[in-house]
Amino acid sequence: MTVIKQHFQQALANIRSSKLRSFLAMLGILVGTAAVVALISIGELATHKALQQFKALGTDLLAISLFQTSTTTKNTSDAKVFSLPEANLMSDTIPTIKAIAPYISLYGNINYETHKINGSIAGVVAELQPVIKIKLSKGRFISPLDRASYYCVVGHDIAQDMKRFSYKSIVGNQILLGNTYFTVVGVAEKWQENTFFNQNVNRLVMIPILTSKVIRKNAQIHNIIMRIKPNINITHLTNDIKAFVSLHSPFLQVFPRSAKQIIESMKQSSQIFTLLLGFIGGISLLVGGIGVMNVMIASVAERHREIGIRMAIGANRKDIQLLFLTESIILALLGGILGVILGISTSLIISYFVGWGYKIFWIPPIIGFGVSAATGVFFGYYPAYRASRLDPIQTLRYD
Amino acid sequence: MIELRDIVKSYQMGEATQTVLHGVSLDIYKNDLLAIMGASGSGKSTLMNIIGLLDRPNSGSYHLHGREVSTLQNVELAQLRNETIGFVFQQFFLLPRLTAEQNVGLPLTYRQMSQREIKPLVMAMLDRVGMADRAHHRPSELSGGQQQRVAIARALIGKPALILADEPTGALDTKTGDEVMELFLNLNRDENTTVVIITHDPDIAKQCRRCIHISDGNILNDGD
């Protein structure tokens, strides 16, 4: 124990006595560790952020897009489109579908009290509310009883804009969509954005799906989002859906997107991403390790005399080896500690500017720290071994 | 105490083998004060390295305290050096980054002693060689004579049976050289420490009780 403590003190003294050189050796490890920690942290943060949206909605979602195949006739009336009753029939026919919400994305000007508001319009059904979990702060959502009436529900950000332009209560007031006035019946709360639903609900005005034709004459259902029973085979379900659609609308092709599949592929690509980043960081660590080895070999060469003296007064080879190994481990660990700090602060700064909201992941620092220590041992071993094999007579004789 | 019999040591110099010691036999007794004299290249340094357990003979036997040591493992040799031999070198060979106190304590750290145990012993030893007030100085802050005193303190700290001094006054002026010699003589007289001094200075040799000459790898005379 005394010997280790002594080695530790002497290694520190030695590192301090050649500050610049030690710092340069450390720098390699520092940059390497910082790269590993920062890159992996950022990768994890990005994945975390991407997965967060699904946490809010749950994973039992399936979205399908319906489009005409390019080989069929032009967009004319003979191409049979998918209608609302058919969607409901599909839901009734396929038992694994719990709720079905077809919607139509519409684009038109939104005006309120003569002010233009940025946003989009969608024709929706009542089921959309539970399926993508929209909460209302005021009023009610679109109901089946609305049929083709001129009612609408506005998203959170749209409501904020409306408040700026008028003191009137939003619910019960009228908003101009395209050329038609709609009465606002509900206001949605802030909604967690989700790539799964094609629109951002916060900037969306939702109208009854049957009213869609008022905004755009040839409005058709191209998107359906549905909540499905948990733990079912997605492939079977999509096959059922494809069979149903081809029976009713033979010219439409089904493009399914399941939340589970998206998460899977997201996780997979993020794993590859993380691995790649780790690999890049690993290369810089390797270079750093070689720097440590270089400095240690120089240090051993410079201290031949010291090694001889220590051997003469009773140090055995193991003692000498430990002395130099301690030094390289301290170098690597110092670099590792500083690197972890730098890496965490880098990822913190980046996540701040990207606006991700920070969360410290403990795995990358632990990996960075462990790997830098291992680098110290690995790249310190050879110089230390060489030191321990020196012949005391040779080292004492020559200056 | 030490019994060398027919020690042969040769070095491989490329193709040729150079024999440095041709069957040297030598006894060193407890409380001896022995000078080994010889010109440079005579083999006296090699003899010292063998006595000091830094080198092994090619043939012959070396008994230390009655134990054959020429066949021991490196680890055992290191331990024996630590416990029974104190080296004093011409160039002092203190570690430049350590203070006088740390230098003197170094042999004891290799005995796994704690810093708390070591410190009082070191201070007592520094006091004995008259260097107590320089305990926290580094070698570069000390004069040659002072460095050699610290080095002697380091050699003595482990209470070795044998002090092996290689030209201990070689790098010192006459006055400090005499002081260092005085230290050795006192040690030998007062503490019965066995002292072997390798030198080419007849004045030093004269102060020793016994003197041997070595030339071309042979002991010429053992002038008791």
Side-chain angles (χ1 to χ4, degrees):
Chain A
M1 204 51 225
T2 317
V3 177
I4 289 176
K5 199 174 143 197
Q6 270 252 323
H7 285 165
F8 191 79
Q9 287 166 351
Q10 284 169 22
L12 272 186
N14 197 46
I15 287 167
R16 230 180 291 133
S17 72
S18 46
K19 284 194 193 75
L20 180 65
R21 202 170 67 180
S22 303
F23 173 72
L24 290 176
M26 223 186 288
L27 199 63
I29 299 275
L30 193 156
V31 171
T33 312
V36 169
V37 171
L39 292 176
I40 297 180
S41 287
I42 290 166
E44 293 276 317
L45 275 172
T47 314
H48 181 73
K49 169 75 181 170
L51 291 179
Q52 222 174 20
Q53 52 187 347
F54 288 105
K55 284 227 176 79
L57 286 192
T59 54
D60 301 321
L61 288 178
L62 178 72
I64 59 171
S65 306
L66 300 165
F67 288 102
Q68 283 182 353
T69 49
S70 52
T71 50
T72 55
T73 48
K74 282 268 157 68
N75 190 10
T76 51
S77 53
D78 63 319
K80 196 171 181 305
V81 296
F82 205 69
S83 65
L84 188 59
E86 276 167 346
N88 290 332
L89 182 62
M90 183 166 84
S91 175
D92 294 341
T93 317
I94 303 170
T96 43
I97 299 173
K98 270 168 77 180
I100 191 160
Y103 60 96
I104 301 174
S105 295
L106 301 159
Y107 300 92
N109 292 329
I110 303 170
N111 285 287
Y112 181 65
E113 303 282 338
T114 70
H115 295 280
K116 188 174 169 3
I117 292 175
N118 279 329
S120 22
I121 308 164
V124 305
V125 296
E127 275 74 25
L128 186 71
Q129 189 189 8
V131 169
I132 64 167
K133 297 195 175 158
I134 299 170
K135 287 189 185 120
L136 294 183
S137 58
K138 279 194 196 88
R140 64 168 176 85
F141 198 70
I142 300 297
S143 133
L145 300 176
D146 289 333
R147 302 292 302 160
S149 58
Y150 298 164
Y151 290 135
C152 72
V153 173
V154 295
H156 177 267
D157 293 353
I158 300 239
Q160 292 302 105
D161 284 355
M162 289 166 78
K163 267 185 208 156
R164 283 200 287 123
F165 300 137
S166 169
Y167 293 111
K168 288 184 208 157
S169 150
I170 295 170
V171 175
N173 217 332
Q174 291 201 313
I175 188 168
L176 185 63
L177 306 178
N179 303 316
T180 317
Y181 279 100
F182 281 71
T183 306
V184 178
V185 295
V187 178
E189 277 181 19
K190 188 109 188 134
W191 185 72
Q192 164 79 46
E193 260 187 78
N194 188 304
T195 50
F196 208 63
F197 183 63
N198 287 355
Q199 300 284 350
N200 173 8
V201 171
N202 296 324
R203 281 248 159 248
L204 190 65
V205 178
M206 291 160 278
I207 61 173
I209 195 164
L210 294 176
T211 320
S212 298
K213 299 236 182 229
V214 173
I215 308 292
R216 204 175 71 211
K217 242 175 74 192
N218 58 347
Q220 292 173 10
I221 294 172
H222 287 302
N223 288 291
I224 301 175
I225 185 162
M226 51 192 110
R227 190 161 287 278
I228 55 181
K229 290 199 170 140
N231 304 320
I232 58 153
N233 188 324
I234 302 281
T235 320
H236 285 175
L237 176 59
T238 51
N239 284 342
D240 287 350
I241 290 171
K242 279 175 186 166
F244 183 91
V245 170
S246 68
L247 195 69
H248 290 81
S249 317
F251 300 114
L252 288 180
Q253 217 174 3
V254 179
F255 301 95
R257 287 187 303 149
S258 106
K260 274 203 178 107
Q261 281 165 352
I262 291 177
I263 290 170
E264 257 337 284
S265 70
M266 223 182 228
K267 273 189 179 156
Q268 237 168 41
S269 64
S270 95
Q271 258 168 17
I272 293 168
F273 187 61
T274 306
L275 217 69
L276 190 76
L277 294 181
F279 185 69
I280 293 169
I283 288 176
S284 40
L285 254 181
L286 181 79
V287 174
I290 292 169
V292 166
M293 180 135 104
N294 194 4
V295 163
M296 289 313 295
I297 285 178
S299 175
V300 168
E302 194 168 83
R303 288 154 74 192
H304 271 189
R305 167 73 57 75
E306 175 185 335
I307 294 162
I309 296 167
R310 285 178 184 274
M311 282 178 163
I313 63 175
N316 58 42
R317 288 179 170 175
K318 215 185 246 167
D319 292 323
I320 300 295
Q321 198 168 353
L322 212 60
L323 176 69
F324 284 95
L325 206 54
T326 310
E327 204 171 305
S328 61
I329 292 172
I330 289 176
L331 269 183
L333 275 186
L334 279 176
I337 292 169
L338 294 176
V340 165
I341 293 170
L342 183 68
I344 288 183
S345 12
T346 306
S347 59
L348 197 119
I349 289 166
I350 289 177
S351 68
Y352 174 78
F353 280 110
V354 178
W356 279 345
Y358 197 63
K359 178 169 183 260
I360 287 186
F361 290 92
W362 290 108
I363 302 295
I366 290 168
I367 288 176
F369 202 68
V371 170
S372 67
T375 309
V377 175
F378 185 78
F379 288 100
Y381 186 83
Y382 175 67
Y385 176 79
R386 248 176 47 157
S388 74
R389 292 285 123 177
L390 288 172
D391 180 359
I393 302 168
Q394 300 293 328
T395 56
L396 287 177
R397 188 175 297 156
Y398 300 111
D399 291 2
Chain B
M1 188 179 87
I2 287 175
E3 213 180 273
L4 298 174
R5 288 289 172 269
D6 304 319
I7 296 289
V8 175
K9 180 69 191 178
S10 52
Y11 292 104
Q12 199 74 34
M13 310 285 266
E15 294 284 295
T17 308
Q18 193 189 4
T19 305
V20 183
L21 295 176
H22 304 273
V24 169
S25 296
L26 175 66
D27 287 308
I28 299 170
Y29 309 105
K30 193 165 164 39
N31 199 21
D32 229 343
L33 179 55
L34 172 70
I36 298 175
M37 287 194 70
S40 64
S42 61
K44 63 182 192 319
S45 293
T46 306
L47 183 59
M48 190 203 87
N49 287 337
I50 289 173
I51 295 174
L53 302 170
L54 290 168
D55 207 353
R56 286 195 187 83
N58 296 90
S59 70
S61 72
Y62 175 1
H63 285 87
L64 177 67
H65 290 311
R67 181 184 179 199
E68 177 61 57
V69 292
S70 56
T71 54
L72 291 180
Q73 299 288 315
N74 281 324
V75 178
E76 294 169 298
L77 287 181
Q79 196 189 346
L80 261 183
R81 280 200 297 272
N82 181 272
E83 286 169 358
T84 54
I85 297 169
F87 287 93
V88 179
F89 301 96
Q90 181 178 8
Q91 301 293 338
F92 325 131
F93 286 173
L94 297 172
L95 299 190
R97 293 193 183 100
L98 303 186
T99 62
E101 184 191 339
Q102 289 169 323
N103 264 295
V104 173
L106 204 55
L108 298 185
T109 66
Y110 289 118
R111 291 187 192 177
Q112 317 292 328
M113 285 171 69
S114 76
Q115 221 58 44
R116 200 175 305 146
E117 292 170 294
I118 291 172
K119 192 171 167 97
L121 297 174
V122 168
M123 292 315 286
M125 190 54 72
L126 279 172
D127 193 39
R128 237 181 83 190
V129 296
M131 292 294 297
D133 54 337
R134 297 279 193 279
H136 301 296
H137 290 238
R138 283 172 210 286
S140 57
E141 298 158 352
L142 300 172
S143 72
Q146 289 173 326
Q147 287 188 53
Q148 195 60 303
R149 282 164 184 275
V150 173
I152 292 168
R154 181 180 65 188
L156 290 174
I157 191 78
K159 301 207 185 318
L162 171 70
I163 293 284
L164 206 50
D166 184 9
E167 305 270 12
T169 61
L172 303 175
D173 61 52
T174 321
K175 187 169 162 286
T176 45
D178 286 347
E179 284 171 13
V180 165
M181 260 323 276
E182 192 62 33
L183 209 56
F184 282 124
L185 297 177
N186 288 341
L187 273 173
N188 179 254
R189 190 177 57 237
D190 303 339
E191 314 216 354
N192 299 331
T193 311
T194 311
V195 179
V196 173
I197 298 174
I198 287 113
T199 185
H200 60 261
D201 182 352
D203 288 339
I204 300 290
K206 249 182 259 169
Q207 298 178 59
C208 299
R209 233 175 290 133
R210 199 177 141 205
C211 177
I212 61 164
H213 287 267
I214 188 163
S215 177
D216 291 331
N218 290 300
I219 289 182
L220 293 185
N221 64 318
D222 192 345
D224 298 60

